[in-house]
Amino acid sequence: MLDVIDHPPGIRELRLARPPVNALNAELLRALVGAVKAAAGQGAMVMTGQPGLFSAGLDVRGMLALDRDGVSEVFVELWRVQHAIAHSPVPVVFGITGHCPAGGTVMAIHADYRVMAQGDFRLGLNEVQVGLFPGGVIHGAFRRLTGGHSPQLLTRGALIDPATALRVGLVDELCDAAHVATRALEVARELCALPRDAMLRTRSLVRKDLMEMFGNPGHALMKEREFATMGAEAWFAPATQELLRRMFEKR
Amino acid sequence: MLDVIDHPPGIRELRLARPPVNALNAELLRALVGAVKAAAGQGAMVMTGQPGLFSAGLDVRGMLALDRDGVSEVFVELWRVQHAIAHSPVPVVFGITGHCPAGGTVMAIHADYRVMAQGDFRLGLNEVQVGLFPGGVIHGAFRRLTGGHSPQLLTRGALIDPATALRVGLVDELCDAAHVATRALEVARELCALPRDAMLRTRSLVRKDLMEMFGNPGHALMKEREFATMGAEAWFAPATQELLRRMFEKR
Amino acid sequence: MLDVIDHPPGIRELRLARPPVNALNAELLRALVGAVKAAAGQGAMVMTGQPGLFSAGLDVRGMLALDRDGVSEVFVELWRVQHAIAHSPVPVVFGITGHCPAGGTVMAIHADYRVMAQGDFRLGLNEVQVGLFPGGVIHGAFRRLTGGHSPQLLTRGALIDPATALRVGLVDELCDAAHVATRALEVARELCALPRDAMLRTRSLVRKDLMEMFGNPGHALMKEREFATMGAEAWFAPATQELLRRMFEKR
């Protein structure tokens, strides 16, 4: 489900491994939250998938079988993984090895750096296409990276190709799918090679705005509940249900 | 002066049609304000010109014959069309079919999406070149799209080509002049095909900052007057008058 | 050390001339502060180096021989030159004729426009690589230009090539190293040709956010001291000293 691989010097790779498409369910998200937190003592962290495949996003097929509590739980874990990545005390590099729509992009926008596979892959926040919508934190984190491109991308629920993603700032670098993980590890290694205090101090300064989007710790639990409640509500709206089910009939 | 064409499913095209260059005078601007408001019940709205021609901006030649009240009126209507586009309850897609300096760009920056004709066309806020200057709302709306490129572009009163406009975020997509209107309609159609509530909710979230630039409704009239007063004052400054008149002698 | 050349109509070129690499020491920085202030009556100002060479940044070799007071003095002057450029009442165009790491970029981000030499040159805020870190103003001015690209660039202490710098908004235009100064002078000439009041008024509007980063005049001296104290402290940290010295042994 999630392969944890340690590379010298102190770089922990979290490799999504839930065939066939690394779909995110509560169990995988919970494993990710735990693994991200457990990597706090490392030098840096890298999240990858398999060459040509990163993650299809939330496990929609599985979620269609869940009741309201089950769906809420998925959204709680999706919130927690965002929170864990955003608050990681060590740099997080995403090696986006392939498709990365919706839930995949939701995680990636909280990281420090994103290497993306070039080729016929897509990423973006396309939730609106199935009747869902980004909340304040996802909107803020996405806009923090993509600036003036953000409004149109979100309104359209646009899935974009790697070249466009680079142009709008959603990813920081492109390379062949086969080399994405290697390159992400290299970036992590470069970060680890920097004078630790200066790097972490700079990192705190540039991520202050991202942290503040989550609010102070006192509000954290409230925001988590709000995210899960709104997510589940939108999920069970009749229009959304119809779209989600139609999506699978088409496949 | 303004052709209004309805396309299925519920997309209203407002096509500028004031030969020879779709120059914006009080009458055309007033027609636009009315048409934008009247389209509130549609699915989406598209603004276009003719292939190779969008709008030359304000009708400077006509305005040089107006007295202070007449010029103020033009600025009042220019404000109102910005306000109407920014506050449109349905998405507005601009099909910028050709040149789009000054007044044309002033309108476009409040829209949801901009398709621009590639080729030897120019757009931008070049008001400073004739002694005018952008107010707070125009500055804010322009910067919202172009971010860090905004300061230098505005200070220079730069007119830029389509490729540069894409790079700095002033437009969202390029295509052949002949296909701009078709492509803008297609984007509008895609927006209409999205789950309506989720799309409109996302759109509200991402346009909140733009709305706030106009201030609350109580301030709206005050801001409109301020814009018109400052516009007319700058217009009748001797240096501006000389530049505007010289512009027409050159032609 | 600093060549001051006047070009018609009222454009003052400040050409760095401290062989071999235009390294910035207290004396050169002080000369720059004086020259920037003295150019306030000109139409515009241009800062250049020699084709293929702009500035290697702070004179690290020289600073390694200085005591705490000497190092503090360098940081005081580095602060003052930033302040002087940011507050210049006339436009400042940088002609970045070659390499421009650290201190060079620190100055350039406060200017109105940046022309950069294409080719095998680098610029960026790489201070973190030797154990230093950007303060609030440098962070703010850098982010003002580079937006969403800023966090990753600063965390990595990245030195980037001209094409990347153009893409992320750190520079505004590229040209051959041999023509950078000429092109920067041309941009300055275009700025001078604009209606003066409208241009300066627009310039004030778009630079208001940059000015505010420096705080009000009452806080200015406090911020200057803070910058110098923090700079000297980081400089004399054992880890930084080791890195700086190793840097020169390698050469």
Side-chain angles (χ1 to χ4, degrees):
Chain A
M1 174 157 283
L2 180 67
D3 293 338
V4 177
I5 305 143
D6 283 333
H7 304 263
I11 295 165
R12 180 158 296 171
E13 180 183 356
L14 309 181
R15 194 184 294 166
L16 301 170
R18 184 170 180 250
V21 293
N22 293 337
L24 306 167
N25 64 358
E27 198 185 346
L28 176 51
L29 288 167
R30 202 176 300 120
L32 274 169
V33 172
V36 169
K37 288 185 177 173
Q42 301 291 316
M45 200 187 316
V46 169
M47 200 175 298
T48 62
Q50 290 69 42
L53 169 69
F54 185 74
S55 167
L58 290 179
D59 179 5
V60 172
R61 189 188 294 271
M63 286 173 73
L64 284 172
L66 298 178
D67 63 7
R68 202 176 188 95
D69 281 354
V71 167
S72 288
E73 194 193 345
V74 175
F75 282 109
V76 164
E77 298 299 344
L78 181 62
W79 174 267
R80 287 182 183 169
V81 77
Q82 292 180 72
H83 191 280
I85 296 170
H87 291 75
S88 165
V90 303
V92 183
V93 178
F94 265 58
I96 305 173
T97 45
H99 281 301
C100 182
T105 296
V106 165
M107 295 194 297
I109 54 179
H110 298 284
D112 292 84
Y113 198 82
R114 285 146 294 272
V115 180
M116 169 89 190
Q118 41 199 359
D120 193 17
F121 303 114
R122 294 288 180 278
L123 80 170
L125 295 176
N126 57 321
E127 283 83 351
V128 73
Q129 293 192 12
V130 290
L132 304 176
F133 44 85
V137 169
I138 294 177
H139 172 233
F142 186 82
R143 190 165 201 156
R144 176 177 176 264
L145 296 181
T146 61
H149 305 283
S150 177
Q152 60 95 348
L153 290 171
L154 291 178
T155 301
R156 297 190 302 131
L159 284 180
I160 57 180
D161 58 38
T164 304
L166 185 69
R167 177 168 65 79
V168 302
L170 185 52
V171 302
D172 301 303
E173 184 180 332
L174 304 181
C175 78
D176 288 340
H179 299 111
V180 166
T182 310
R183 177 59 192 143
L185 286 166
E186 193 173 286
V187 172
R189 220 167 276 125
E190 286 167 10
L191 285 165
C192 288
L194 292 171
R196 194 75 182 165
D197 280 357
M199 186 275 283
L200 290 179
R201 196 159 175 170
T202 303
R203 185 174 178 264
S204 289
L205 181 66
V206 303
R207 288 172 70 82
K208 195 165 171 273
D209 59 329
L210 179 63
M211 312 297 259
E212 287 173 354
M213 290 174 197
F214 285 87
N216 61 49
H219 290 147
L221 193 65
M222 205 177 71
K223 289 214 172 190
E224 178 184 300
R225 282 189 176 279
E226 195 182 288
F227 183 79
T229 306
M230 284 178 60
E233 213 162 288
W235 184 267
F236 284 106
T240 305
Q241 284 288 307
E242 202 193 312
L243 283 161
L244 291 168
R245 287 178 199 282
R246 207 185 299 161
M247 203 167 92
F248 277 93
E249 281 159 22
K250 261 196 271 179
R251 287 189 184 172
Chain B
M1 172 158 287
L2 182 66
D3 292 339
V4 177
I5 305 143
D6 282 334
H7 304 263
I11 296 165
R12 180 156 298 171
E13 179 183 357
L14 309 182
R15 192 184 295 165
L16 301 170
R18 183 170 180 251
V21 293
N22 292 338
L24 306 166
N25 64 359
E27 197 185 345
L28 175 51
L29 288 167
R30 202 176 300 121
L32 275 169
V33 173
V36 170
K37 289 186 177 174
Q42 302 290 317
M45 201 187 316
V46 169
M47 200 176 298
T48 62
Q50 290 70 40
L53 169 70
F54 184 75
S55 166
L58 290 179
D59 179 4
V60 172
R61 190 189 293 273
M63 286 173 74
L64 284 172
L66 298 177
D67 63 7
R68 201 174 189 99
D69 281 354
V71 168
S72 289
E73 194 192 344
V74 175
F75 282 108
V76 164
E77 298 299 344
L78 181 61
W79 174 267
R80 286 182 182 167
V81 78
Q82 292 180 73
H83 190 281
I85 295 169
H87 290 75
S88 165
V90 302
V92 183
V93 178
F94 264 58
I96 306 175
T97 45
H99 280 302
C100 182
T105 296
V106 164
M107 295 194 297
I109 54 180
H110 298 284
D112 292 83
Y113 197 81
R114 285 147 293 274
V115 180
M116 169 87 190
Q118 41 198 1
D120 193 16
F121 302 113
R122 295 289 180 276
L123 80 169
L125 295 177
N126 57 321
E127 284 82 351
V128 71
Q129 293 193 14
V130 290
L132 303 176
F133 45 85
V137 170
I138 294 177
H139 173 232
F142 186 81
R143 190 165 201 155
R144 176 176 175 265
L145 297 180
T146 60
H149 304 283
S150 176
Q152 59 96 348
L153 290 172
L154 291 178
T155 301
R156 296 191 302 131
L159 284 179
I160 57 180
D161 57 39
T164 304
L166 185 69
R167 177 169 64 80
V168 301
L170 185 51
V171 303
D172 301 302
E173 183 180 332
L174 304 182
C175 79
D176 288 339
H179 299 111
V180 166
T182 309
R183 176 61 192 142
L185 287 166
E186 194 174 284
V187 173
R189 218 167 278 126
E190 286 167 10
L191 285 165
C192 288
L194 293 171
R196 194 77 182 164
D197 280 357
M199 186 275 284
L200 291 179
R201 197 159 174 169
T202 304
R203 186 175 178 262
S204 288
L205 181 66
V206 303
R207 288 172 71 83
K208 193 164 172 273
D209 59 329
L210 179 62
M211 311 297 258
E212 286 173 353
M213 290 175 198
F214 285 88
N216 61 47
H219 289 148
L221 193 64
M222 206 178 70
K223 288 214 174 191
E224 178 184 300
R225 282 190 177 279
E226 195 181 289
F227 183 79
T229 306
M230 283 179 61
E233 214 163 286
W235 183 268
F236 284 107
T240 305
Q241 283 289 306
E242 202 192 312
L243 283 160
L244 291 168
R245 287 179 198 281
R246 207 186 297 161
M247 203 167 94
F248 277 94
E249 281 158 21
K250 261 197 272 180
R251 283 187 186 176
Chain C
M1 174 158 282
L2 182 67
D3 293 337
V4 177
I5 305 143
D6 283 334
H7 303 263
I11 296 164
R12 179 158 295 170
E13 179 183 358
L14 310 181
R15 192 184 295 165
L16 301 170
R18 184 172 178 251
V21 293
N22 292 336
L24 305 167
N25 63 359
E27 197 185 346
L28 175 51
L29 288 167
R30 201 176 301 121
L32 275 170
V33 173
V36 170
K37 289 186 177 172
Q42 302 290 317
M45 200 186 318
V46 169
M47 200 175 298
T48 62
Q50 290 71 42
L53 168 70
F54 185 74
S55 167
L58 290 179
D59 180 3
V60 172
R61 189 189 292 273
M63 286 173 74
L64 283 172
L66 298 178
D67 63 7
R68 203 175 187 97
D69 282 354
V71 167
S72 289
E73 194 193 345
V74 175
F75 282 109
V76 164
E77 298 299 344
L78 181 61
W79 174 267
R80 287 183 182 168
V81 78
Q82 292 180 73
H83 191 280
I85 295 169
H87 290 76
S88 165
V90 302
V92 183
V93 179
F94 264 58
I96 306 174
T97 45
H99 281 301
C100 181
T105 295
V106 165
M107 296 194 296
I109 54 180
H110 298 285
D112 292 83
Y113 197 82
R114 285 145 294 273
V115 180
M116 169 87 190
Q118 40 199 1
D120 193 17
F121 302 114
R122 294 288 180 277
L123 81 170
L125 294 177
N126 57 321
E127 283 82 352
V128 73
Q129 294 194 11
V130 291
L132 303 176
F133 45 84
V137 169
I138 293 176
H139 173 233
F142 187 82
R143 191 165 201 156
R144 176 175 176 264
L145 296 180
T146 61
H149 305 283
S150 177
Q152 59 94 351
L153 290 171
L154 291 178
T155 302
R156 296 190 303 130
L159 283 180
I160 57 180
D161 58 38
T164 304
L166 185 69
R167 178 170 63 81
V168 301
L170 185 51
V171 302
D172 302 301
E173 183 180 333
L174 304 182
C175 79
D176 288 339
H179 299 112
V180 166
T182 309
R183 177 60 191 142
L185 287 166
E186 194 174 285
V187 172
R189 219 167 277 126
E190 285 167 9
L191 285 165
C192 287
L194 293 171
R196 194 75 182 166
D197 280 357
M199 186 275 284
L200 290 179
R201 196 157 174 171
T202 304
R203 186 176 177 263
S204 288
L205 181 66
V206 302
R207 288 172 72 82
K208 193 163 171 276
D209 59 331
L210 179 63
M211 311 298 258
E212 286 172 354
M213 291 175 196
F214 285 88
N216 60 47
H219 289 147
L221 193 63
M222 208 178 69
K223 288 214 172 190
E224 177 184 299
R225 282 189 177 279
E226 195 182 289
F227 183 79
T229 305
M230 285 179 59
E233 215 162 287
W235 183 268
F236 284 106
T240 305
Q241 284 287 307
E242 202 193 312
L243 284 161
L244 291 168
R245 287 178 199 281
R246 207 186 297 161
M247 201 166 94
F248 278 93
E249 281 158 21
K250 260 196 273 179
R251 286 188 184 172

